[in-house]
């Protein structure tokens, strides 16, 4: 078998350029696909690389279906994904191409699972949405924590945090509201704001005595507290692929919670404000207005500060809520991590001897816990040792 072609959509964006840099460093020559061939060729020249570039409407399923083939590995960084991403993943699933993306939109990942899992499975395509900072380290930390806890594990809570280097011990650094602006791109902030208008979900029992399943639940419904290295961090619940992927690997789980803790001390005030505004978001006009406003957020051309770091904490609990095990991962800033992980996924899936499970999966179900651990290590993500601290 020949090596598969790697196709990259969104290379001219901030995250896409990170992915392209990582692919080139691995000796790959991806085909660039987007709406402006001139910009793509200019980017390739800047990287001193001769790369094929194809201009196409990235929102057209027919156009993308004609372009892609079953021997392709497709990487997409084109967001917002609920608005711009379905055509690419639909085309990939239909033709049997493997697919990975950088989405942080849980609603998009859920839609992909519900609509395309049987299509991808039938065509031999492996589809893994959110194969970057969102949500590989959370799936990995959750899997490691549940693996340590064993069969007694019934619940897992996962928190995502950002820290900074150069400010003392990064494990002790408390993020601030300003960090959520200076360490992120405009696209990320747009996704966070617009995500408030999307339907969220959680994995738990809808009622006592019923089996656990995905249930509708708005983002920021609850605040969870994570303690590590003497620091207490608050985080708001969000929909992630951990809800979709971890129960498939660990069927004993009765609940999975994912929470975002980027806002520091502003977490609870923002969560309260979100709760008060939740009734307004039932209006289609208000939801549409919020999405439009998110597209006009300030700082659209500002690049994130270079000293960002990632911190992910997972706690596995028994049926009574008692903590059994914990896994704490640290790594580079979210964009560097995403670039490395997506490049790794492409190279791994493009290998002639690669064997992947067809269908839509979370990262652990797609590759296995040990393989994801190795991929994360290549991206600079490592588990840190336990330290004396208060009970999680």
């Amino acid at each position: 078998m020949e090596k598969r072609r790697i196709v990259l959509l969104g290379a001219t964006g901030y995250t896409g350029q990170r992915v392209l840099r990582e692919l080139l460093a691995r000796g790959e020559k991806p085909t660039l696909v987007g709406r402006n061939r001139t910009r793509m060729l200019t980017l390739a020249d800047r990287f001193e690389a001769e790369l094929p570039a194809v201009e196409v409407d990235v929102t057209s399923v027919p156009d993308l279906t004609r372009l892609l083939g079953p021997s392709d590995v497709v990487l997409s960084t084109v967001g917002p994904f609920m608005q711009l991403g379905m055509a690419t993943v639909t085309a990939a699933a239909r033709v049997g191409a493997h697919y990975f993306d950088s989405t942080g939109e849980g609603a998009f990942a859920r839609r992909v699972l519900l609509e395309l899992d049987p299509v991808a499975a039938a065509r031999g395509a492996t589809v893994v949405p959110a194969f970057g900072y969102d949500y590989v380290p959370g799936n990995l930390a959750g899997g490691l924590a549940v693996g340590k806890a064993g069969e007694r594990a019934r619940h897992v809570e996962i928190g995502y945090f950002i820290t900074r280097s150069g400010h003392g011990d990064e494990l002790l650094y408390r993020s601030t509201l300003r960090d959520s602006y200076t360490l992120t791109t405009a696209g990320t902030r747009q996704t966070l704001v617009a995500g408030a208008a999307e339907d969220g979900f959680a994995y738990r029992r809808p009622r006592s005595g019923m089996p656990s399943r995905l249930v509708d639940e708005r983002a920021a419904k609850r605040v969870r507290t994570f303690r590590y290295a003497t620091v207490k961090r608050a985080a708001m619940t969000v929909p992630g692929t951990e809800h979709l992927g971890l129960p498939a690997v660990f069927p004993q789980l009765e609940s999975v919670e994912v929470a975002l803790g980027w806002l520091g001390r502003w977490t609870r005030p923002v969560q309260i404000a979100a709760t008060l505004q939740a009734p307004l978001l039932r209006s289609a006009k208000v939801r549409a207005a919020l999405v439009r406003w998110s597209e006009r957020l300030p700082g659209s051309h500002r690049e994130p500060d270079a000293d960002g770091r990632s911190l992910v904490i997972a706690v596995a609990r028994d049926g009574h809520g008692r903590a059994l095990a914990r896994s704490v991962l640290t790594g580079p800033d979210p964009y560097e991590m995403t670039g490395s992980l997506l490049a790794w996924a492409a190279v791994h899936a493009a290998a002639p001897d690669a064997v992947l499970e067809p269908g839509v999966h979370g990262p652990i179900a797609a590759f296995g816990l040990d393989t994801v651990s190795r991929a994360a290590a290549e991206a600079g993500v490592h588990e840190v040792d336990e330290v004396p601290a208060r009970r999680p």
Side-chain angles (χ1 to χ4, degrees):
M1 293 180 61
E2 294 184 359
K3 185 177 180 180
R4 290 172 176 259
R5 177 179 70 159
I6 297 175
V7 177
L8 174 60
L9 288 88
T12 58
Y14 184 80
T15 300
Q17 291 183 43
R18 294 292 187 99
V19 178
L20 178 57
R21 183 184 300 118
E22 291 290 334
L23 287 171
L24 294 174
R26 288 166 167 80
E28 302 295 334
K29 292 188 175 182
T31 296
L32 307 184
V33 174
R35 290 173 287 191
N36 189 317
R37 188 169 184 270
T38 300
R39 288 185 62 192
M40 290 185 287
L41 291 176
T42 300
L43 176 66
D45 287 342
R46 182 150 59 85
F47 279 98
E48 299 181 344
E50 293 186 7
L51 302 175
V54 181
E55 188 169 289
V56 69
D57 180 359
V58 297
T59 64
S60 170
V61 175
D63 289 355
L64 289 164
T65 301
R66 285 190 290 269
L67 171 67
L68 302 176
S71 61
D72 289 337
V73 176
V74 181
L75 304 181
S76 177
T77 63
V78 179
F81 283 81
M82 285 295 283
Q83 299 176 38
L84 304 174
M86 278 305 298
T88 301
V89 66
T90 299
R94 288 181 180 178
V95 303
H98 297 325
Y99 169 93
F100 307 88
D101 67 40
S102 62
T103 187
E105 302 165 44
F108 173 80
R110 184 188 190 187
R111 182 180 174 187
V112 170
L113 175 66
L114 294 177
E115 295 184 11
L116 296 178
D117 182 47
V119 178
R123 299 295 296 172
T126 298
V127 174
V128 188
F131 202 87
Y133 170 83
D134 310 288
Y135 289 93
V136 170
N139 277 277
L140 176 57
L144 291 172
V146 173
K148 294 175 186 178
E151 289 299 319
R152 293 172 59 201
R154 293 294 180 271
H155 312 279
V156 63
E157 302 162 359
I158 300 154
Y160 283 80
F161 306 92
I162 48 178
T163 66
R164 286 182 181 271
S165 60
H167 295 262
D169 188 341
E170 65 185 60
L171 292 176
L172 302 178
Y173 183 85
R174 297 174 184 265
S175 60
T176 66
L177 185 63
R178 183 175 180 274
D179 290 333
S180 66
Y181 176 81
T182 59
L183 295 178
T184 62
T185 65
T188 298
R189 297 190 293 275
Q190 178 183 342
T191 296
L192 290 174
V193 173
E198 300 290 346
D199 295 327
F201 56 87
Y203 183 83
R204 58 177 171 76
R205 290 179 174 177
R207 293 186 182 85
S208 178
M210 296 182 66
S212 298
R213 60 177 176 83
L214 285 179
V215 296
D216 293 333
E217 182 175 288
R218 63 175 175 80
K221 183 173 182 178
R222 290 182 294 276
V223 171
R224 288 290 178 253
T225 300
F226 295 80
R227 296 183 177 91
Y228 184 75
T230 73
V231 178
K232 182 170 68 174
R233 296 176 171 88
M236 297 180 294
T237 53
V238 295
T241 63
E242 292 88 345
H243 303 95
L244 312 174
L246 289 178
V249 181
F250 303 100
Q252 78 270 27
L253 288 175
E254 297 175 1
S255 75
V256 177
E257 285 201 328
V258 182
L260 187 67
W262 288 7
L263 303 181
R265 292 184 175 88
W266 282 87
T267 298
R268 290 189 183 276
V270 170
Q271 189 267 342
I272 292 171
T275 300
L276 294 175
Q277 294 172 6
L280 295 175
L281 292 178
R282 299 191 186 108
S283 165
K285 290 184 178 180
V286 173
R287 290 158 69 101
L290 182 62
V291 172
R292 289 194 299 271
W293 177 73
S294 72
E295 295 171 352
R296 294 191 290 270
L297 291 171
S300 59
H301 301 294
R302 184 188 185 281
E303 292 193 356
D305 291 350
D307 61 345
R309 296 280 295 169
S310 302
L311 174 68
V312 178
I313 303 172
V315 181
R317 300 183 183 274
D318 65 14
H320 299 285
R322 293 178 295 226
L324 299 174
R326 175 172 47 196
S327 176
V328 181
L329 304 179
T330 61
D333 78 84
Y335 306 99
E336 179 181 342
M337 186 191 301
T338 297
S340 296
L341 288 170
L342 280 174
W344 176 91
V347 173
H348 186 91
D353 58 348
V355 178
L356 304 179
E357 184 68 23
V360 180
H361 303 291
I364 296 177
F367 293 108
L369 185 60
D370 290 342
T371 301
V372 173
S373 296
R374 290 195 294 271
E378 286 187 24
V381 180
H382 302 281
E383 187 171 20
V384 297
D385 295 332
E386 290 285 343
V387 297
R390 289 172 289 180
R391 183 168 56 90

